[in-house]
Amino acid sequence: MFKRLSAELLGTFWLVFGGCGSAVLAAAFPGLGIGFVGVAFAFGLTVLTMAYAVGGISGGHFNPAVSVGLTVAGKFPASSLVPYIVAQVVGAVAAAAVLYLIASGKAGFEAGGFASNGYGELSPGGYSLAAALVAEVVLTAFFLIIILGSTHGRAPAGFAPIAIGLGLTLIHLVSIPVTNTSVNPARSTGVALFAETAALPQLWLFWIAPILGAVIGGIVWKVVGESD
């Protein structure tokens, strides 16, 4: 269990450091910024790389919502759920702390939103709470379906991390303007702690919506999917 939890911590650290780091440090760099597309690919690449690196140890969840969804789908033991979530949140907070340390090394640095998630005034595109809720639920549900389908015994072996990574990239391409894309409560929690906005008071949504979406995705897969 220690190795599994360590793998989840490392994987979630890399997801937050790489994904949110790309948003904080590189997205709007004058003249050379990577923009929304670059950030979307950064998040996808973090999951792809760590799924190959440590997925064989822990299953490569790196996300409390994924762990919940896999439990609902009968693919993950409920007894391991709380330790996994704790490890994921610790990894996310540690990554956000390291990212803050690096970002604050620039003269005139202001944390601002610090790649946090939000709705209303904190939504990049000014989207409402209802829009944010629907987007996070639907996108997390499909993320679970992608995970469950690509790791199914009949899927081509060895390609699941690619499908999952590209799936997360697509999710970000759709929803960065809406919520700055969560679909991951740990990712949302880590950076919200360092944001200079009202990200923390809005954090509840980015626990409830992704977990609800993951539960729906797990249930849908049990209905339409095949047993391994």
Side-chain angles (χ1 to χ4, degrees):
M1 176 62 83
F2 175 77
K3 288 186 177 181
R4 292 165 60 197
L5 296 180
S6 297
E8 283 298 302
L9 190 155
L10 289 172
T12 312
F13 180 102
W14 188 238
L15 185 152
V16 173
F17 185 76
C20 295
S22 72
V24 170
L25 302 175
F29 196 86
L32 297 171
I34 62 175
F36 284 176
V37 174
V39 172
F41 272 100
F43 272 100
L45 288 170
T46 62
V47 170
L48 188 156
T49 52
M50 289 310 286
Y52 277 122
V54 300
I57 300 171
S58 68
H61 300 186
F62 318 141
N63 182 338
V66 169
S67 296
V68 170
L70 293 176
T71 300
V72 171
K75 304 296 183 181
F76 184 68
S79 60
S80 298
L81 185 57
V82 171
Y84 261 53
I85 291 174
V86 170
Q88 291 155 358
V89 172
V90 169
V93 172
V98 173
L99 177 59
Y100 185 88
L101 180 64
I102 295 170
S104 62
K106 181 180 179 181
F109 167 74
E110 294 181 2
F114 203 63
S116 59
N117 304 113
Y119 55 84
E121 292 184 356
L122 300 187
S123 160
Y127 287 83
S128 67
L129 174 103
L133 173 66
V134 172
E136 290 288 331
V137 169
V138 171
L139 291 169
T140 312
F142 273 90
F143 191 40
L144 255 293
I145 293 170
I146 292 168
I147 291 170
L148 289 163
S150 63
T151 56
H152 188 273
R154 292 191 178 183
F159 290 95
I162 298 174
I164 295 167
L166 289 177
L168 188 59
T169 298
L170 175 59
I171 286 168
H172 279 77
L173 289 173
V174 172
S175 61
I176 286 177
V178 183
T179 63
N180 213 24
T181 311
S182 172
V183 302
N184 185 334
R187 166 261 190 273
S188 297
T189 301
V191 290
L193 294 173
F194 296 88
E196 295 176 346
T197 62
L200 275 175
Q202 293 190 1
L203 183 59
W204 64 271
L205 178 68
F206 302 104
W207 275 87
I208 291 175
I211 288 176
L212 176 58
V215 169
I216 293 171
I219 293 172
V220 168
W221 181 257
K222 290 184 74 172
V223 173
V224 305
E226 296 179 335
S227 300
D228 288 328

